[in-house]
């Protein structure tokens, strides 16, 4: 980093600090984190994910996601408890790093995101208007909550 | 089937049962496993004192020794007593009374097993679930002076 850039960075920081409180407050709702109950995937995406799931995952995890002889279910109480309180980023990275178990990491980020959209639909999380991201950093902003949070007052 | 995370079926959701094979009778039956978070923390049950419900389990095996039945939990919970994780529990074989429990970072899969090396007893358990892809954990008591 050269000196000029470093100065620019310093000025940016100052500008952020000088930002009036009112403006900060106005921005607050935008950074409020979302959960899987806020419609984080689309119906089309889940439809795209279904055949990929059937081809790549169903042999072990079952057609209905209820698990197989040695692979755990991807729906139901134990599955939801496993991820409750973590983020979609954790779940996505887990699939990227370890699944499909025979050849981990073989699928693209887009394919994994589509499969995950299908998994969310089977688990009855609500559909939304935007597709599920395929970037781990962005997925980490979406909380996985097993049950619907109480409505905000 | 569940409503807002609450299963429609009445607990216990998971049990361990000792059966006297000579008589075909239950000797004891206990709920195995911490009450799931979605039940314990459910708004609809606020203020109620719910005894441990046990957990619906998936492929959880037991280890039986001369005096104990040992089995881990199949669900992740977070309670006042332990961080996010699951417990490996030991019960008195004759009565079903819990006599001890140790923490695991993820739920048990398969069955625990035990072995002896140089006079030291070990228990090994496979865990997996959530961010944990299959791992083995071995437990033993500290040696004298450790």
């Amino acid at each position: 980093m050269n000196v000029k850039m470093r100065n620019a960075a310093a000025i940016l920081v100052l500008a952020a600090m000088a930002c009036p409180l009112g403006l900060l407050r106005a921005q607050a709702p935008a950074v409020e984190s979302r959960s899987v109950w806020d419609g984080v995937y689309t119906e089309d995406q889940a439809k795209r994910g279904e055949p990929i799931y059937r081809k790549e995952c169903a042999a072990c995890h079952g057609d209905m996601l209820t698990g197989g002889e040695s692979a755990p279910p991807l729906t139901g109480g134990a599955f939801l408890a496993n991820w409750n309180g973590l983020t979609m980023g954790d779940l996505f990275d887990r699939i990227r790093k370890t699944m499909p178990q025979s050849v981990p990491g073989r699928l693209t980020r887009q394919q994994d995101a589509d499969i995950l959209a299908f998994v969310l639909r089977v688990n009855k999380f609500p559909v939304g208007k935007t597709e599920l991201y395929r970037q781990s950093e962005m997925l980490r902003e979406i909380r996985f909550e097993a049950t619907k949070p109480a409505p905000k007052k | 089937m569940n409503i807002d995370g609450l299963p429609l079926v009445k607990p216990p959701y998971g049990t361990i049962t000792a059966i006297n094979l000579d008589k075909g009778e239950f000797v004891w039956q206990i709920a195995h496993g911490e009450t799931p978070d979605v039940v314990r923390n459910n708004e609809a049950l606020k203020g109620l004192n719910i005894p441990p419900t046990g957990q619906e389990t998936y492929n959880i095996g037991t280890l039986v020794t001369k005096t104990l039945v040992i089995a881990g939990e199949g669900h992740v919970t977070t309670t006042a007593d332990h961080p996010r994780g699951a417990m490996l529990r030991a019960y008195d074989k004759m009565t079903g009374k819990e006599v001890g429990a140790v923490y695991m970072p993820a739920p048990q899969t398969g069955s625990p097993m035990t072995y002896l090396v140089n006079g030291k007893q070990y228990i090994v358990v496979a865990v997996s679930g959530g961010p944990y892809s299959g791992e083995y954990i071995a437990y033993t008591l500290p040696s004298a002076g450790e």
Side-chain angles (χ1 to χ4, degrees), chain B residues 44-67:
Chain B
L45 302 178
K46 224 176 198 161
L48 295 180
N49 193 4
I50 313 261
T53 62
Q55 306 165 343
E56 46 148 346
T57 48
Y58 176 79
N59 286 359
I60 297 294
T62 55
L63 164 69
V64 179
T65 70
K66 213 189 295 177
T67 51

Side-chain angles (χ1 to χ4, degrees), chain A residues 2 22 29 32 43-44 52 56 66 68 83 104 109 114 125 127 132 136 150:
Chain A
N2 64 30
E32 193 173 288
E43 181 65 33
D44 279 352
I52 315 175
E56 304 288 346
T66 46
W83 299 99
R109 284 185 165 268
D114 295 351
F125 292 110
V127 293
L132 189 67
S136 304

Side-chain angles (χ1 to χ4, degrees), chain A residues 68-69 71 77 82-84 94, chain B residues 56 58-59 76 84 130 132-133:
Chain A
E69 206 151 282
N82 274 343
W83 299 99
N84 187 28
R94 167 69 138 92
Chain B
E56 46 148 346
Y58 176 79
N59 286 359
V76 170
R84 199 190 155 72
Y132 281 81
S133 182

Side-chain angles (χ1 to χ4, degrees), chain B residues 6-101:
Chain B
L6 277 185
L8 288 186
V9 294
K10 189 173 152 205
Y13 304 126
T15 57
I16 295 179
T17 307
I19 303 172
N20 179 327
L21 289 184
D22 291 331
K23 299 187 187 147
E25 286 166 2
F26 288 7
V27 182
W28 49 260
Q29 182 170 59
I30 50 155
H32 172 60
E34 193 72 62
T35 305
D37 288 353
V38 290
V39 175
R40 190 161 18 83
N41 303 333
N42 202 289
E43 282 288 320
L45 302 178
K46 224 176 198 161
L48 295 180
N49 193 4
I50 313 261
T53 62
Q55 306 165 343
E56 46 148 346
T57 48
Y58 176 79
N59 286 359
I60 297 294
T62 55
L63 164 69
V64 179
T65 70
K66 213 189 295 177
T67 51
L68 299 173
V69 177
I70 296 170
E73 294 177 341
H75 277 229
V76 170
T77 53
T78 310
T79 70
D81 298 331
H82 70 80
R84 199 190 155 72
M87 301 304 284
L88 178 64
R89 298 185 188 274
Y91 303 100
D92 181 317
K93 191 164 85 173
M94 299 317 290
T95 63
K97 187 176 175 302
E98 185 172 319
V99 291

